Amino acid sequence: MVRETNLTVDDLIYPMFVMSGEGQKVEIPSMPGCYRYSLDLLLKEIAEVSQVGINAIALFPVIPEHQKDETGTESYNPEGLVQTAVKAIKKAVPEIIIITDVALDPFTTHGHDGLVDENGSVLNDPTVEILAKMALSQAHAGADFVAPSDMMDGRVGAIRQALDNQGYINVGILAYSAKYASAYYGPFRDALDSAPKFGDKKTYQMDAGNSKEALKEVELDIAEGADIVMVKPALAYLDIIHQVKQNTNLPVAAYNVSGEYAMIKAAAANGWIDEKKVILESLISMKRAGADLILTYFAKEVALMLM
Ligand code: PBG
């Protein structure tokens, strides 16, 4: 009766992986219980997910090597995997909110989120132009929200302008505003085969030691037109979630990332922790810190627990 914080299924956004082909459901080794689905099976899974009360999914594509190139041109192919999937999901499960990922790393041979020059430096502004094209193609397919996850400067403003110019005034932007260059993303990069082939992401993602910078990044994204701001990862950054919440009236999301998921699954598989209790305690801590929404690979499990 006097509990201050509650976790409900309405708080959850379920990240899901789509791949090409038919009749395929392949478990991700470092993320037990998470799968790459071909579109036909993904549609079935989304119907189930919706039935257990989840309102929204975040969609990530697994792009085959032969469709990758230096500049990620496949990312804005109107008939690409994501665009095709969005159209099919909208038809099959119209009530589910679709959030599409706007970043180049699944589409580039080098695995970086941006264009790379001859010295291996990631180029901000030319990348932003491609991100705007990619977001437009996703909006055109029917995405409800686009979610720039790359941390290039100025991308939220460029995407907002591109969407508005083409009449997509109702497509929202979920901005990965304070995204840290984190080792917790390892299992996700396995899932997508998207680990960077050289260097790291520290020139565009944030340093774990910084919190004022997070507030600055959030402020910029809001000024540029973000509708929801996100902190990522979640558990090691609860203080950042808290500070961001204090500094904005926009909804704040937290991304309970792949490494956080993998650690709980691994310990539970060894019988070292009580999996269900640790999941719920982790997610409630994110809400208590200030998250209004949580992207989590536990979404379906938690929805079933809360039923
Ligand atoms: C990249 C992207 C990453 C994640 C979501 N989008 C990884 C990265 O920045 O290298 C990580 C998600 C997770 O670990 O669960 N655009």
Side-chain angles (χ1 to χ4, degrees):
M1 191 170 73
V2 293
R3 194 174 210 204
E4 295 168 31
T5 309
N6 284 294
L7 181 69
T8 80
V9 69
D10 289 334
D11 307 325
L12 307 176
I13 298 172
Y14 196 16
M16 299 182 84
F17 302 106
V18 63
M19 64 178 177
S20 55
E22 238 177 276
Q24 305 275 321
K25 174 181 173 182
V26 182
E27 193 169 41
I28 298 153
S30 49
M31 300 175 72
C34 282
Y35 302 84
R36 303 158 153 194
Y37 294 94
S38 58
L39 184 51
D40 55 334
L41 297 188
L42 182 75
L43 294 177
K44 285 194 184 139
E45 181 63 18
I46 291 175
E48 261 182 48
V49 160
S50 171
Q51 244 160 32
V52 300
I54 292 171
N55 296 314
I57 59 160
L59 193 62
F60 295 97
V62 185
I63 302 298
E65 212 49 49
H66 71 271
Q67 285 183 345
K68 299 186 184 187
D69 59 23
E70 287 278 305
T71 58
T73 45
E74 180 62 19
S75 65
Y76 51 89
N77 175 359
E79 308 301 327
L81 180 60
V82 172
Q83 292 82 353
T84 308
V86 170
K87 281 181 233 164
I89 297 165
K90 272 287 149 196
K91 228 178 179 176
V93 194
E95 62 277 16
I96 203 107
I97 294 166
I98 308 175
I99 303 169
T100 46
D101 184 57
V102 183
L104 287 180
D105 52 322
F107 301 95
T108 52
T109 37
H110 45 72
H112 275 290
D113 294 43
L115 305 189
V116 175
D117 72 8
E118 59 280 1
N119 307 317
S121 298
V122 173
L123 301 167
N124 192 95
D125 295 5
T127 301
V128 169
E129 281 176 38
I130 301 182
L131 295 175
K133 279 197 216 173
M134 185 176 172
L136 260 186
S137 75
Q138 295 169 349
H140 185 67
D144 298 289
F145 275 85
V146 294
S149 69
D150 58 290
M151 286 293 277
M152 298 303 145
D153 293 332
R155 86 274 196 232
V156 171
I159 290 169
R160 184 71 270 159
Q161 198 180 5
L163 291 174
D164 289 354
N165 285 346
Q166 297 294 315
Y168 296 110
I169 55 170
N170 291 322
V171 173
I173 299 179
L174 163 60
Y176 287 64
S177 300
K179 175 172 176 179
Y180 287 84
S182 171
Y184 282 97
Y185 307 150
F188 175 95
R189 293 175 186 172
D190 293 343
L192 259 55
D193 287 330
S194 65
K197 299 267 155 52
F198 54 83
D200 55 41
K201 299 195 174 186
K202 288 182 178 169
T203 63
Y204 44 108
Q205 300 179 356
M206 286 183 43
D207 181 348
N210 290 1
S211 62
K212 289 199 180 85
E213 188 185 6
L215 299 180
K216 186 194 86 178
E217 292 285 356
V218 166
E219 210 175 289
L220 285 168
D221 282 0
I222 293 173
E224 291 176 28
D227 298 287
I228 302 173
V229 290
M230 184 146 73
V231 175
K232 175 186 180 185
L235 270 187
Y237 299 88
L238 293 175
D239 59 323
I240 307 298
I241 297 171
H242 184 73
Q243 289 184 58
V244 168
K245 184 64 182 173
Q246 305 297 310
N247 278 277
T248 176
N249 292 317
L250 283 187
V252 174
Y255 200 143
N256 175 218
V257 299
S258 57
E260 300 171 44
Y261 176 86
M263 291 195 301
I264 291 180
K265 285 288 176 188
N270 277 297
W272 295 338
I273 56 168
D274 180 327
E275 179 175 356
K276 287 195 162 122
K277 285 185 179 162
V278 170
I279 293 171
L280 291 175
E281 188 176 334
S282 302
L283 297 188
I284 202 97
S285 77
M286 295 164 204
K287 292 257 354 241
R288 195 186 62 240
D292 300 291
L293 297 165
I294 304 171
L295 275 84
T296 179
Y297 303 99
F298 293 118
K300 190 180 176 193
E301 262 180 276
V302 170
L304 291 168
M305 283 188 237
L306 295 175
M307 269 176 126

